[in-house]
């Protein structure tokens, strides 16, 4: 869908926010306007969220609406489901996406399926917020993105912002949506002191609320020679690659998917019809994941226009701890650059 | 209470008959008018009626995968529930849920097919009541086998630490499918575990509906008054196999157990008679229950099966474009594709 307001309005330039500030601003706005919105999770109150995703909310809204909970994800994520079914709009944080294993039943059997199993008579307007991604040497249990796992299971919308502007607009949409939304933010993009962000995620953000429709991919850079489709941190790595390629006269188009469910196939296919070459970049494992899905959809829709396809993703190994090994498996801009070049050989 | 108990029992007897139709001689689980698994709760009735008698329409109940007795006690629409179990279009969930996944928002009733996983959402419902400052309560049901799941402890702890208005009901039938309680559960009595979570608790033995009623009165009253959660364990007897078709080879003394245990309906009937309710009135209640059950089953059988295309509906309350009720088909299969 192309109706999204993909360009930031003029007043956005007035101030820049980190991605975490933008998320918090949206949450605070929703809490001010709707008493049914509350936040629950581990270390979300006094600490403000390990990744600053709830920084400052406790002071503004108090403990009743910003709730620290025991380390028991099944219990409190399931409680979010129950509160949502009562018509509240809980925002529940699963600290790391990697921890889903201890509570996946509440996520995919209760949160995601109750609407369907009830024949539409039950809604679960809940936002499950979770941190994803590596690139900071935290090893295999704290570095996964797992986009594919969540997007694979029907019944939840899956959102992956890459900039502060998108983070705010997508959060407003997530909280207002009558369905469960999994909001996956990359730690490296949040702008926290102990984990420097790359150039890019800190953007202009309007003071007022605004929404970005789900299913509207953003063409971050227009180009004629190849289409690079990606999301999250790798939007910035792909843009870096595109700048480098441009020096050699290769003009790459970079598309930020912004949401995985729904997936904006149309924008991707339109681009491939123009460029003929597709590179999909993902920080998740390669097999059975986002790269395969995007390639599959483009192949179904535009096989004749497709001259070359490359996938860039984590090569099906757990994320290693040591820096050189982690750098090896997580794609960087040179991997993207190489893949784009490969489509032209 | 008696009326709901005999309705629940009669309902399960009739479901059993309907379920077996077409499934024999070689048991075929998907054959016959009621497809899939069927878990019956005959013998569990006091745990349902003794508690739900104290509940209002706006109180939430989450039931386990053996849900019919609780649904009837909570006032779930019997006709639409039966239509759901028969997989019909006008069922509670338009045929998408089946007997383990009954949802009736009007009766504020839900259940889950996953052991212990109805506990956390009940805590959430209680949390909503507390935040909105209403005096609604939530009741979570599970079997004693579920009390070894993490969700049980997490829910008790979370409710306890926040003093939430929730009543945890454990139906102790001594069996976790084929596992006798003593082989899989370290304590014989879950009030011990409740104590460990600083939650007041009570245990009712002998499947006695009146004793459950009395204990639940305190538990629900406590929750309603804002004094926090209670755990109520009720000894019940599983008069059936775990699921229909379960030959219970693991339970050689099943028949003897059933004979030894006093049927809770007989127990309550005796009590009614002792208190001067005449036999005619009892028979009348039984007849009414039977009629109600027959009507529901007849209603269900008359209902149409769902349109296969309806399988694409209801994935979302607010479907993304491309996933709409109007355009079922290939695009909708992608569940999220917007092209």
């Amino acid at each position: 869908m192309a109706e999204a307001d993909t360009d930031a309005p003029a007043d956005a330039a007035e101030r820049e926010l980190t991605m975490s500030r933008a998320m918090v601003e949206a949450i605070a706005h929703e809490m001010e306007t709707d008493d049914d919105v509350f936040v629950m999770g581990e270390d979300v109150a006094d600490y403000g969220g390990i990744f600053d995703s709830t920084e400052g909310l406790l002071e503004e809204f108090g403990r009743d609406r910003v709730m620290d909970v025991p380390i028991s994800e099944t219990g409190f994520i399931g409680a979010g489901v129950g509160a949502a079914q009562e018509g509240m709009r809980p925002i529940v944080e699963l600290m790391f996406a990697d921890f889903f294993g201890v509570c996946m039943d509440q996520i995919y059997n209760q949160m995601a399926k109750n609407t369907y199993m009830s024949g539409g008579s039950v809604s679960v307007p809940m936002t499950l917020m979770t941190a994803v991604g590596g690139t900071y040497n935290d090893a295999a249990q704290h570095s996964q993105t797992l986009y594919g796992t969540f997007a694979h299971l029907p019944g939840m919308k899956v959102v992956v912002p890459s900039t502060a502007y998108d983070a705010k607009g997508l959060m407003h949409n997530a909280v207002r949506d009558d369905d469960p939304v999994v909001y996956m933010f990359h730690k490296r993009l949040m702008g926290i002191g102990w984990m420097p962000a790359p150039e890019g995620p800190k953007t202009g953000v309007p003071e007022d609320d605004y929404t970005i429709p789900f299913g509207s991919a953003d063409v971050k850079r227009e180009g004629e020679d190849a289409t690079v489709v990606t999301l999250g941190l790798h939007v910035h790595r792909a843009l870096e690659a595109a700048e480098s390629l441009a020096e050699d006269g290769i003009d790459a188009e970079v598309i930020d998917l912004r949401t995985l469910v729904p997936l904006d196939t149309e924008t991707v296919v339109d681009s491939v019809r123009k460029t003929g070459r597709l590179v999909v970049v993902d920080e998740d494992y390669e097999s059975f994941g986002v790269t395969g899905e995007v390639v599959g959809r483009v192949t179904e829709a535009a096989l004749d226009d497709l001259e070359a396809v490359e996938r860039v993703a984590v090569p099906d190994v757990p994320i290693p701890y040591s820096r050189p090994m982690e750098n090896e498996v997580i794609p960087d801009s040179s991997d993207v650059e190489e893949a784009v070049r490969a489509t032209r050989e | 209470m008696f009326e709901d108990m005999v309705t629940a029992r009669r309902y399960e007897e009739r479901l059993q008959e309907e379920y077996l139709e077409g499934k024999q001689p070689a048991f075929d689980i998907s054959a016959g008018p009621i497809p899939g698994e069927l878990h019956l709760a005959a013998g569990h009735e006091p745990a349902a009626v003794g508690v739900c008698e104290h509940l209002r329409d706006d109180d939430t109940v989450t039931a386990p995968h053996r849900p019919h007795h609780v649904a009837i006690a909570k006032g779930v629409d019997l006709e639409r529930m039966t239509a759901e179990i028969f997989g019909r279009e006008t069922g509670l969930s338009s045929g998408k849920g089946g007997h383990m996944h009954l949802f009736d928002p009007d009766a504020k009733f839900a259940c889950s097919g996953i052991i212990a996983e109805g506990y956390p959402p009940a805590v959430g419902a209680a949390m909503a009541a507390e935040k909105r400052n209403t005096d609604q309560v939530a009741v979570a049901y599970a079997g004693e086998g579920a009390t070894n799941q993490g969700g049980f402890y997490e829910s008790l702890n979370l409710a306890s630490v926040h003093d939430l208005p929730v009543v945890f009901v454990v139906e102790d039938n001594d069996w976790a499918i084929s596992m006798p309680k003593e082989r899989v559960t370290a304590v014989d009595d879950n009030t011990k575990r409740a104590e460990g979570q600083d939650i007041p608790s009570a245990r009712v033995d002998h499947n006695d509906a009146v004793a459950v009623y009395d204990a639940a009165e305190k538990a629900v009253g406590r929750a309603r008054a804002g004094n926090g959660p209670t755990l109520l364990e009720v000894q019940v007897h599983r008069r059936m196999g775990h699921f229909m078709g379960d030959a219970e080879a693991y339970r050689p003394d099943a028949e003897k157990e059933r004979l030894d245990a006093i049927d809770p309906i007989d127990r309550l009937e005796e009590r009614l008679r002792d208190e001067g309710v005449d036999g005619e009135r009892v028979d009348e209640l039984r007849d009414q229950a039977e009629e109600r059950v027959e009507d529901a089953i007849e209603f269900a059988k008359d209902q149409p099966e769902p349109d296969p295309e309806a399988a694409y509906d209801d994935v979302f309350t607010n479907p993304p474009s491309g996933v709409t009720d109007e355009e079922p088909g290939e695009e909708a299969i992608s569940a999220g594709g917007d092209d």
Side-chain angles (χ1 to χ4, degrees):
Chain A
M1 285 196 331
E3 81 246 31
D5 43 348
T6 52
D7 299 317
D11 69 334
E14 285 171 15
R15 58 177 195 146
E16 289 195 337
L17 294 183
T18 60
M19 207 168 93
S20 68
R21 283 312 310 163
M23 283 167 60
V24 170
E25 197 169 274
I27 293 170
H29 179 96
E30 294 300 324
M31 290 180 77
E32 278 160 19
T33 52
D34 184 350
D35 287 343
D36 282 330
V37 179
F38 70 98
V39 177
M40 172 163 59
E42 291 149 351
D43 307 294
V44 297
D46 293 282
Y47 196 103
I50 297 296
F51 304 106
D52 288 359
S53 55
T54 55
E55 181 70 39
L57 292 174
L58 174 66
E59 291 72 17
E60 202 176 341
F61 297 100
R63 286 190 193 284
D64 187 45
R65 298 188 67 199
V66 184
M67 295 175 65
D68 275 332
V69 292
I71 300 174
S72 55
E73 289 84 358
T74 293
F76 71 79
I77 290 174
V81 174
Q85 286 178 183
E86 293 293 317
M88 298 197 79
R89 292 185 176 272
I91 300 167
V92 185
E93 183 168 282
L94 169 63
M95 190 185 286
F96 286 73
D98 311 70
F99 302 167
F100 83 90
V102 296
C103 53
M104 197 54 161
D105 187 78
Q106 286 297 331
I107 297 170
Y108 90 113
N109 268 329
Q110 320 292 333
M111 183 184 92
K113 288 180 183 161
N114 282 356
T115 299
Y116 189 77
M117 293 196 304
S118 69
S121 67
V122 167
S123 294
V124 187
M126 161 175 170
T127 302
L128 179 68
M129 182 159 83
T130 188
V132 300
T135 74
Y136 67 111
N137 317 113
D138 214 15
Q141 295 174 347
H142 291 74
S143 302
Q144 299 169 99
T145 55
L146 302 173
Y147 297 142
T149 303
F150 287 84
H152 178 65
L153 299 162
M156 345 177 228
K157 296 166 184 172
V158 180
V159 173
V160 183
S162 70
T163 66
Y165 179 83
D166 287 1
K168 179 170 169 176
L170 291 167
M171 180 60 82
H172 278 299
N173 224 35
V175 177
R176 293 174 195 178
D177 200 291
D178 287 334
D179 289 307
V181 177
V182 182
Y183 187 105
M184 306 179 86
F185 60 85
H186 199 293
K187 301 149 203 162
R188 177 63 79 188
L189 299 178
M190 293 293 271
I192 36 186
W194 45 278
M195 201 187 293
E199 290 293 316
K202 192 171 179 185
T203 62
V205 177
E207 306 255 0
D208 292 340
D209 61 310
Y210 57 93
T211 58
I212 295 172
F214 294 160
S216 56
D218 184 18
V219 180
K220 280 272 191 272
R221 182 187 192 281
E222 292 195 12
E224 297 296 323
D225 298 332
T227 299
V228 180
V229 178
T230 187
L231 70 169
L233 171 69
H234 283 74
V235 169
H236 305 285
R237 294 191 163 183
L239 286 169
E240 198 186 320
E243 289 313 308
S244 175
L245 288 162
E247 289 168 16
D248 291 342
I250 300 168
D251 190 15
E253 182 147 304
V254 177
I255 296 176
D256 177 358
L257 289 172
R258 298 205 288 200
T259 64
L260 285 172
V261 182
L263 186 66
D264 181 359
T265 312
E266 190 181 322
T267 297
V268 175
V269 169
D270 286 350
S271 175
V272 172
R273 288 208 167 105
K274 179 175 69 173
T275 66
R277 297 176 177 87
L278 172 64
V279 176
V280 191
V281 183
D282 181 18
E283 198 182 321
D284 200 353
Y285 308 117
E286 179 169 286
S287 296
F288 312 101
V290 172
T291 57
E293 181 62 32
V294 172
V295 170
R297 291 199 189 200
V298 172
T299 307
E300 282 171 338
L303 185 59
D304 293 345
D305 297 297
L306 211 48
E307 289 170 40
V309 170
E310 288 287 327
R311 297 203 274 164
V312 182
V314 175
D316 298 338
V317 295
I319 312 295
Y321 167 67
S322 127
R323 195 166 293 124
M325 285 196 291
E326 189 188 43
N327 289 344
E328 167 63 25
V329 302
I330 295 184
D332 61 16
S333 62
S334 67
D335 294 319
V336 180
E337 215 179 302
E338 211 174 290
V340 173
R341 289 183 200 279
T343 62
R344 296 167 52 81
E345 282 163 5
Chain B
M1 284 205 298
F2 183 75
E3 196 174 352
D4 278 348
M5 283 170 75
V6 292
T7 303
R9 181 66 62 84
R10 183 63 193 154
Y11 190 66
E12 300 233 314
E13 286 167 359
R14 287 292 290 117
L15 282 189
Q16 184 180 7
E17 286 169 24
E18 294 290 335
Y19 185 77
L20 290 174
E21 195 185 318
K23 286 195 168 57
Q24 309 288 5
F27 188 78
D28 175 355
I29 198 164
S30 64
I34 301 178
E37 284 185 85
L38 185 67
H39 309 79
L40 298 178
H44 288 209
E45 295 89 351
V49 301
V51 176
C52 292
E53 193 71 17
H54 300 290
L55 300 183
R56 301 190 313 230
D57 290 347
D58 64 345
D59 292 328
T60 293
V61 166
T62 64
H65 64 284
R66 201 183 295 287
H68 310 137
H69 58 317
V70 185
I72 287 169
K74 184 61 174 69
V76 169
D77 186 307
L78 195 64
E79 293 190 334
R80 294 191 60 213
M81 168 163 125
T82 314
E84 184 59 35
I85 293 167
F86 279 74
R88 304 305 166 106
E89 188 182 18
T90 51
L92 285 172
S93 303
S94 321
K96 291 205 178 72
H99 110 99
M100 279 190 283
H101 317 110
L102 302 168
F103 293 83
D104 187 350
D106 296 336
K108 302 210 77 168
F109 178 91
C111 55
S112 172
I114 312 289
I115 299 297
E117 295 291 309
Y119 266 39
V123 170
M127 206 177 258
E130 197 218 19
K131 287 187 185 304
R132 287 167 164 170
N133 206 18
T134 70
D135 64 349
Q136 289 159 285
V137 306
V139 176
Y141 279 88
E144 97 289 341
T147 64
N148 297 317
Q149 281 277 7
F152 170 79
Y153 297 96
E154 295 187 19
S155 298
L156 260 60
N157 182 61
L158 193 53
S160 181
V161 83
H162 287 286
D163 283 330
L164 296 176
V166 53
V167 179
F168 298 106
V169 182
V170 177
E171 296 178 283
D172 177 10
N173 68 15
D174 285 322
W175 289 94
I177 307 184
S178 69
M179 278 293 177
K181 185 169 74 173
E182 63 272 18
R183 278 178 57 204
V184 290
T185 303
V187 294
D188 56 359
D189 180 339
N190 273 300
T191 60
K192 294 174 185 170
R193 285 169 160 172
E195 195 178 329
Q197 306 274 14
D198 204 18
I199 290 184
S201 61
R203 182 178 160 94
V204 176
D205 288 323
H206 311 305
N207 213 0
D208 177 351
V210 176
V212 176
Y213 178 91
D214 291 342
E217 186 168 30
K218 284 187 200 141
V220 174
R222 197 168 173 272
R224 184 109 48 220
N227 294 322
T230 306
L231 181 137
L232 179 60
E233 183 161 75
V234 182
Q235 182 187 47
V236 295
H237 296 285
R238 200 181 88 193
R239 303 182 73 84
M240 317 289 294
H242 171 66
F243 55 92
M244 287 299 303
D246 176 4
E248 290 187 283
Y250 54 82
R251 195 182 175 189
D253 297 329
E255 277 313 311
K256 186 176 177 312
E257 276 179 45
R258 277 167 205 135
L259 291 172
D260 288 350
I262 298 173
D263 188 303
I265 295 178
D266 295 343
R267 187 190 297 273
L268 186 59
E269 185 173 335
E270 197 181 312
R271 174 128 183 189
L272 290 174
R273 288 177 194 277
D274 285 351
E275 289 179 4
V277 178
D278 65 29
E280 235 171 77
R281 177 68 186 138
V282 170
D283 291 343
E284 197 184 318
L285 288 172
R286 283 188 190 277
D287 290 346
Q288 279 169 9
E290 193 157 329
E291 199 176 320
R292 203 176 148 217
V293 169
E294 286 313 314
D295 286 351
I297 286 177
E298 208 170 303
F299 171 83
K301 285 174 151 178
D302 280 348
Q303 300 304 301
E305 300 230 272
D307 179 348
E309 295 285 314
Y312 306 114
D313 302 339
D314 303 322
V315 176
F316 295 110
T317 294
N318 169 29
S321 60
V323 187
T324 65
D325 291 1
E326 291 76 41
E327 301 174 84
E330 253 180 56
E331 288 175 293
I333 296 173
S334 63
D338 74 319
D339 52 326

